Amino acid sequence: MRGLPTHAGALLISVVFATSTWAANEAATVKVALLDMSSAMPMGMMGYGMMGPGMMGQGMMGQAPGSMNPGGGYGMMMGPGMMGGMMGQGMMGMMSIRTDKPTVKAGTVTFDVTNWSRSVLHEMLIVSVDNPNAPLPYDYTRAQVPEEQIKVLGEAEDIQPSQSKTLEVTLPQGTYLLICNLPGHYAAGMVTPFSVTP
């Protein structure tokens, strides 16, 4: 009787080891979610909530110090809490890229990219970087990262709202950023680090 638990434990360890070895040789799949404010809101909230004193509060549409219409009424989207000069902190986080795993092993990687937005076109670029915390070069007149100045290893372009695309690439060990480079989207927070181990 005493030997049975020992054999069961050894069998369990063998199964776990075999499974992890098999998984290491398997091509990695990464699920990627492209998100913006419309993907988090219930249907019907985009109208009044975005344009009036509901959803975002008074700072978004005027009636706040520093807004385009400080005397009252509804101004242009420039209250403190919102754009702060187009690139301010208020804009960060309004859009994002999320992955189900931040790291994979080197080799073939399949990105299953879904645009969860209800109304905004998105894309995903895989950019090789030395330091994921360093900002990428940015062209303020085009509101985009100049792609000729970065190393793009793959791209899932023009993903319509509520649609998905699959991108398969072979990635060597290294550090990467996943970004959306449509005008204004990188500055609005559509960037996430991603790493590949040996």
Side-chain angles (χ1 to χ4, degrees):
M1 273 305 214
R2 287 186 147 191
L4 186 58
T6 305
H7 293 297
L11 180 62
L12 179 61
I13 290 170
S14 297
V15 169
V16 169
F17 179 73
T19 304
S20 63
T21 303
W22 173 73
N25 297 329
E26 191 79 11
T29 298
V30 178
K31 292 184 185 287
V32 180
L34 307 176
L35 304 165
D36 59 41
M37 290 180 63
S38 73
S39 57
M41 283 189 238
M43 293 300 283
M45 286 204 56
M46 284 302 287
Y48 178 75
M50 286 295 288
M51 302 309 288
M55 185 64 195
M56 298 301 285
Q58 294 177 339
M60 178 156 171
M61 297 309 296
Q63 296 183 356
S67 69
M68 294 291 282
N69 190 6
Y74 293 107
M76 301 281 296
M77 298 169 49
M78 293 304 282
M82 184 52 191
M83 309 262 276
M86 285 302 278
M87 297 294 289
Q89 285 186 319
M91 195 68 179
M92 290 300 291
M94 291 183 67
M95 295 183 170
S96 66
I97 297 179
R98 302 278 189 247
T99 62
D100 68 339
K101 56 186 82 150
T103 305
V104 296
K105 291 197 177 285
T108 302
V109 181
T110 301
F111 290 90
D112 182 13
V113 187
T114 302
N115 179 359
W116 287 99
S117 176
R118 291 199 175 116
S119 59
V120 180
L121 183 73
H122 288 300
E123 68 180 9
M124 186 198 76
L125 279 66
I126 304 166
V127 180
S128 178
V129 295
D130 292 327
N131 179 357
N133 298 318
L136 295 175
Y138 196 77
D139 181 339
Y140 289 91
T141 58
R142 291 181 12 220
Q144 290 179 300
V145 173
E147 292 181 25
E148 64 278 2
Q149 295 180 28
I150 59 174
K151 185 176 180 182
V152 178
L153 281 90
E155 179 174 8
E157 297 180 275
D158 301 329
I159 305 172
Q160 295 295 323
S162 302
Q163 298 296 312
S164 296
K165 284 193 177 181
T166 300
L167 172 65
E168 186 175 284
V169 293
T170 300
L171 294 177
Q173 176 183 353
T175 307
Y176 302 89
L177 290 176
L178 306 179
I179 72 167
C180 178
N181 201 29
L182 293 178
H185 293 199
Y186 170 75
M190 290 198 80
V191 56
T192 193
F194 186 76
S195 60
V196 177
T197 61

